[in-house]
Amino acid sequence: MLNFVSIGSGSSGNCYLLYTETTCLMIDSGIAFKTLKRHLKNLGIELEKVDALFITHDHADHIKAVGHIANTYGKPVYATEPVHVGIQHNYCVSHKPEAQYIRRISKGERVCIGELEVTPFDVPHDSSDCVGYSIRHGDTVFCLITDIGHVTQTISEQVSMADYIVLEANHDEDMLMMGKYSAYLKGRIRGDKGHLCNKESARLLAEHGTPRLKHVWLCHLSEENNHPELARKTMESVLRSYGILPGVDFELDILKRKSPSEIYHLK
């Protein structure tokens, strides 16, 4: 059985677990250490059971607890070299991963952790570096893509191969442009290395998702420039225009920003 749970998804902190009976991976660890431990305990998941951490990029909301977890429990941290350098220089990370726990990975190269095979791929974002992860368990492919400045051919290809996808739907374009953010910040979010809006996420799924797609979770919703029901309605509207029906062709859920999701049993 392959299982998935989101511990938090948004600018306040991102953390996801994908696990089987014998292997457990944590993707990002941007939630305060004590809060993370409490959430996992409530879910009946022991932090000690995590086999490895995989980091997408070096912004604080994705790495806040990485060193604390690695050093306390002796867990390896997998990330690209620029991301590891960024972690070491990020003042929001009070505990830096010690050298013996650092594992350097390269985009396109597979890493096998127990039953799971992990392949990082390039994602455009304004961090030191950024990757998404394609994780294979037998014939099943789980894909996580967040903090997406724009859709690339690589991202489109990953979507076309996935059975399950965690995908950023950061903002509603109108809410962002009419909101209180500065012109600079609005430009950053909408830029080629910013974040993906609801409509762009929907078009990505509509144009590159395949009949093998079973479940999509929208992640990293902005608290100021989006709303879960707005994201859902926009997604459903765009997908219907392509003849795709969420809830029929695949399941669609919105991940909570500051609290855990339910545990999803994928297969």
Side-chain angles (χ1 to χ4, degrees):
M1 179 70 71
L2 185 63
N3 308 284
F4 166 68
V5 61
S6 169
I7 309 303
S9 181
S11 57
S12 298
N14 299 271
C15 182
Y16 312 96
L17 266 70
L18 191 67
Y19 62 97
T20 67
E21 289 186 0
T22 63
T23 307
C24 180
L25 305 183
M26 179 178 286
I27 305 173
D28 287 341
S29 53
I31 297 172
F33 182 63
K34 290 183 179 179
T35 302
L36 179 56
K37 286 183 67 177
R38 184 178 72 251
H39 285 326
L40 290 177
K41 182 178 180 181
N42 292 338
L43 289 165
I45 300 172
E46 298 178 6
L47 190 49
E48 294 89 337
K49 298 294 186 181
V50 172
D51 293 294
L53 290 78
F54 284 83
I55 305 300
T56 59
H57 63 288
D58 59 324
H59 284 167
D61 57 325
H62 295 260
I63 60 172
K64 189 177 298 179
V66 62
H68 212 149
I69 296 170
N71 301 340
T72 301
Y73 298 101
K75 304 300 181 181
V77 178
Y78 290 83
T80 65
E81 173 64 16
V83 171
H84 275 302
V85 172
I87 291 172
Q88 294 297 322
H89 288 90
N90 193 312
Y91 68 90
C92 293
V93 182
S94 58
H95 294 74
K96 313 297 186 187
E98 296 173 4
Q100 64 264 37
Y101 305 125
I102 292 176
R103 304 289 187 274
R104 294 171 177 84
I105 56 176
S106 299
K107 297 166 189 174
E109 293 186 6
R110 292 175 292 178
V111 178
C112 292
I113 308 291
E115 296 183 67
L116 302 177
E117 180 184 281
V118 185
T119 305
F121 56 89
D122 187 57
V123 173
H125 191 53
D126 59 358
S127 49
S128 298
D129 197 9
C130 189
V131 301
Y133 287 107
S134 174
I135 304 172
R136 181 176 291 274
H137 179 248
D139 295 329
T140 299
V141 177
F142 179 97
C143 190
L144 186 144
I145 325 173
T146 186
D147 294 68
I148 309 165
H150 65 278
V151 174
T152 64
Q153 181 177 345
T154 296
I155 290 172
S156 300
E157 290 171 353
Q158 293 297 330
V159 167
S160 71
M161 296 186 289
D163 300 284
Y164 301 94
I165 302 175
V166 177
L167 178 65
E168 177 179 61
N170 177 257
H171 61 278
D172 173 80
E173 292 174 296
D174 292 336
M175 283 186 69
L176 174 65
M177 296 312 296
M178 293 187 296
K180 62 183 181 181
Y181 280 6
S182 67
Y184 168 79
L185 187 52
K186 289 176 182 179
R188 173 185 172 265
I189 292 169
R190 297 178 70 230
D192 281 349
K193 291 190 175 182
H195 292 274
L196 215 60
C197 73
N198 296 335
K199 289 181 180 178
E200 291 170 325
S201 298
R203 286 194 290 267
L204 172 60
L205 291 173
E207 295 173 2
H208 299 285
T210 69
R212 70 182 289 173
L213 187 58
K214 300 176 179 67
H215 205 139
V216 173
W217 295 268
L218 301 183
C219 72
H220 214 296
L221 273 67
S222 169
E223 188 170 27
E224 295 81 8
N225 302 305
N226 210 348
H227 186 276
E229 285 308 308
L230 177 58
R232 180 184 293 278
K233 288 179 180 179
T234 302
M235 179 71 60
E236 290 175 346
S237 176
V238 172
L239 290 172
R240 281 198 301 269
S241 73
Y242 284 80
I244 301 168
L245 299 177
V248 176
D249 294 305
F250 58 81
E251 296 300 317
L252 177 67
D253 281 303
I254 316 294
L255 296 178
K256 300 175 184 178
R257 298 185 71 256
K258 298 180 181 179
S259 58
S261 68
E262 66 179 90
I263 297 175
Y264 295 94
H265 306 294
L266 307 188
K267 66 172 222 178

